[in-house]
Amino acid sequence: FDSIQGNFIKRNGLVTVPSAHADFFYIAKGLKKVGVGGGDCDESITLYEVPLNRIEEWLEEQQKRDIWLDPRLYVGIYFLKKWNQIQ
């Protein structure tokens, strides 16, 4: 995805293991899909597009299917909901 506008929300301050990367959270607006996603040739990432008003239901579905989700997803959802409350 590419976006017209992005707002910096939070830098992940929780580091549990030494890492060469940091997590940054942004709210992106005016999204335009520019590819299928899935990471690079060394990754196997499944991309899900879920409307925010359906996210709780989708999370429950994944849990019932025993699908493991990256914890950063929950952090991102938290900040997205918080951002939408102040907009």
Side-chain angles (χ1 to χ4, degrees):
F1 285 94
D2 196 4
S3 69
I4 294 170
Q5 175 187 3
N7 295 302
F8 174 72
I9 301 297
K10 179 80 172 153
R11 180 181 187 274
N12 182 2
L14 300 173
V15 178
T16 57
V17 294
S19 176
H21 74 279
D23 298 321
F24 295 86
F25 294 92
Y26 291 86
I27 298 294
K29 295 184 177 186
L31 290 176
K32 176 181 159 189
K33 192 169 187 174
V34 295
V36 295
D40 61 29
C41 62
D42 295 328
E43 299 173 309
S44 178
I45 299 171
T46 302
L47 178 67
Y48 298 94
E49 297 176 56
V50 182
L52 185 58
N53 65 355
R54 219 189 131 249
I55 195 67
E56 300 294 333
E57 177 186 343
W58 182 82
L59 289 169
E60 288 177 18
E61 290 170 6
Q62 302 316 300
Q63 187 176 18
K64 287 177 186 173
R65 294 174 55 207
D66 202 27
I67 303 292
W68 288 62
L69 301 171
D70 190 315
R72 293 173 291 189
L73 175 66
Y74 296 92
V75 175
I77 292 168
Y78 168 81
F79 284 117
L80 182 58
K81 287 182 174 183
K82 190 171 185 126
W83 178 265
N84 282 337
Q85 288 175 357
I86 61 174
Q87 293 301 305

